């Protein structure tokens, strides 16, 4: 059974989330502070961690950083901070996703399920297909196909696309995307607005009509999101 480690010092939150995860068929482990979270992440080998940013002993950011030194387990961060800088810091230290409080417990479970569907037990990402095979990504070969044809993407375009498809519907600001591009050491010289140019070029390669895109959607005043529907 898939194990979820919930890390939060508020019993009401952990009880509600545990009930939702149990109903979805997952086993749940609970840690009330950072030290306990590190111990259980090491000893209990969870398949996914839901980690609160504000903990009574050490911060969730520090816990995430320490876990990331030797463990690639997916991490969803819970935070009451909505500032863009806090979200970017979460991405840079290795969080896979974040949810801002107050949140819907069902949303947390759905986001966890989305991540787990895309990750094998050994931590490697599977291939993904969208819109009845229109767009296919093979993460082992690092290939992208549109209508069965391999599309040549630049490293930055490939990085942007892979981040989009892992979280369909999630809105990324330009700063979020810039942080994602740079987090693995990818060289990117420029500013947030330069992301628009790469998005434009990416659309030309994967969209039938760049004026009415199906995959990379603009969220006016906020950024971009992925609109493709994953094939079952």
């Amino acid at each position: 059974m898939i194990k979820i480690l919930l890390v939060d010092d508020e019993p009401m939150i952990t009880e509600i989330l545990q009930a939702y995860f149990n109903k979805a068929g997952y086993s749940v482990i609970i840690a009330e502070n950072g030290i306990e979270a590190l111990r259980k992440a090491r000893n209990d080998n969870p398949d996914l961690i839901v980690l609160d940013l504000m903990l009574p002993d050490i911060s969730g950011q520090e816990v995430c950083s320490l876990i990331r030194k030797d463990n690639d387990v997916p991490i969803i961060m819970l935070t009451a901070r909505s500032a863009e800088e806090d979200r970017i810091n979460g991405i840079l230290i290795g969080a896979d996703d974040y949810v801002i409080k107050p949140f819907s417990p069902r949303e947390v479970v759905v986001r966890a399920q989305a991540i787990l569907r895309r990750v094998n037990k050994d931590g490697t990402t599977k291939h993904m297909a969208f819109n009845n095979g229109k767009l296919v990504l093979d993460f082992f070969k690092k290939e992208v196909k549109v209508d069965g044809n391999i599309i040549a993407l630049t490293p930055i375009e490939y990085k942007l696309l892979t981040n989009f498809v892992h979280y369909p519907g999630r809105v990324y600001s330009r700063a979020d995307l810039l942080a994602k591009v740079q987090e693995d050491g990818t060289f990117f010289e420029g500013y947030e607005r330069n992301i628009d140019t790469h998005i434009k070029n990416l659309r030309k390669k994967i969209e039938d009509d760049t004026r009415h895109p199906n995959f990379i959607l603009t969220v006016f005043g906020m950024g971009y999101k992925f609109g493709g529907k994953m094939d079952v």
Side-chain angles (χ1 to χ4, degrees):
M1 181 179 292
I2 291 176
K3 290 185 291 186
I4 308 294
L5 173 58
L6 300 180
V7 186
D8 200 304
D9 63 332
E10 297 184 43
M12 181 177 296
I13 289 178
T14 54
E15 288 174 10
I16 292 174
L17 284 176
Q18 181 176 25
Y20 273 77
F21 274 112
N22 286 160
K23 185 177 180 180
Y26 301 117
S27 172
V28 173
I29 309 161
I30 293 175
E32 297 179 352
N33 56 62
I35 299 299
E36 186 180 8
L38 292 171
R39 178 175 57 82
K40 290 187 174 182
R42 181 178 62 254
N43 297 334
D44 295 331
N45 193 30
D47 297 287
L48 182 141
I49 299 174
V50 179
L51 174 63
D52 187 35
L53 183 65
M54 302 297 292
L55 297 172
D57 49 358
I58 59 178
S59 72
Q61 288 184 341
E62 185 174 355
V63 172
C64 183
S65 295
L66 290 170
I67 290 174
R68 275 290 171 262
K69 288 183 177 181
D70 57 7
N71 196 328
D72 290 329
V73 59
I75 297 174
I76 297 176
M77 296 201 75
L78 304 179
T79 174
R81 302 175 181 177
S82 59
E84 186 172 74
E85 182 177 352
D86 294 311
R87 301 200 307 271
I88 293 172
N89 286 337
I91 293 170
L92 290 174
I93 62 176
D96 295 271
D97 200 1
Y98 58 84
V99 178
I100 298 174
K101 296 180 179 179
F103 55 79
S104 159
R106 183 173 178 271
E107 178 188 0
V108 177
V109 173
V110 169
R111 290 198 183 208
Q113 289 173 327
I115 293 174
L116 290 168
R117 277 200 307 267
R118 299 166 192 139
V119 178
N120 289 324
K121 203 160 189 177
D122 63 0
T124 56
T125 309
K126 301 177 180 179
H127 79 280
M128 298 167 66
F130 299 90
N131 293 22
N132 297 317
K134 175 75 174 179
L135 175 67
V136 178
L137 290 85
D138 187 325
F139 298 102
F140 294 109
K141 296 181 180 179
K142 291 191 175 181
E143 286 183 351
V144 175
K145 293 182 179 180
V146 176
D147 292 327
N149 299 312
I150 296 176
I151 304 300
L153 300 181
T154 67
I156 290 175
E157 291 165 358
Y158 179 79
K159 184 69 175 179
L160 289 172
L161 182 59
T162 55
N163 280 303
F164 277 123
V165 301
H166 278 100
Y167 304 99
R170 170 177 167 178
V171 178
Y172 284 94
S173 70
R174 293 177 179 85
D176 290 336
L177 293 172
L178 183 61
K180 279 290 188 181
V181 168
Q182 294 175 326
E183 68 178 344
D184 65 349
T186 301
F187 178 76
F188 181 72
E189 184 177 6
Y191 301 94
E192 293 175 17
R193 283 290 176 179
N194 291 70
I195 291 292
D196 294 342
T197 299
H198 293 285
I199 294 294
K200 180 180 179 181
N201 293 335
L202 178 59
R203 280 174 170 163
K204 289 180 180 178
K205 296 178 180 181
I206 68 172
E207 303 283 3
D208 289 333
D209 184 352
T210 57
R211 294 172 299 177
H212 302 92
N214 291 312
F215 297 114
I216 311 300
L217 309 181
T218 299
V219 182
F220 293 99
M222 300 179 67
Y224 301 98
K225 69 178 182 178
F226 187 74
K229 295 182 180 180
M230 182 183 291
D231 298 346
V232 177

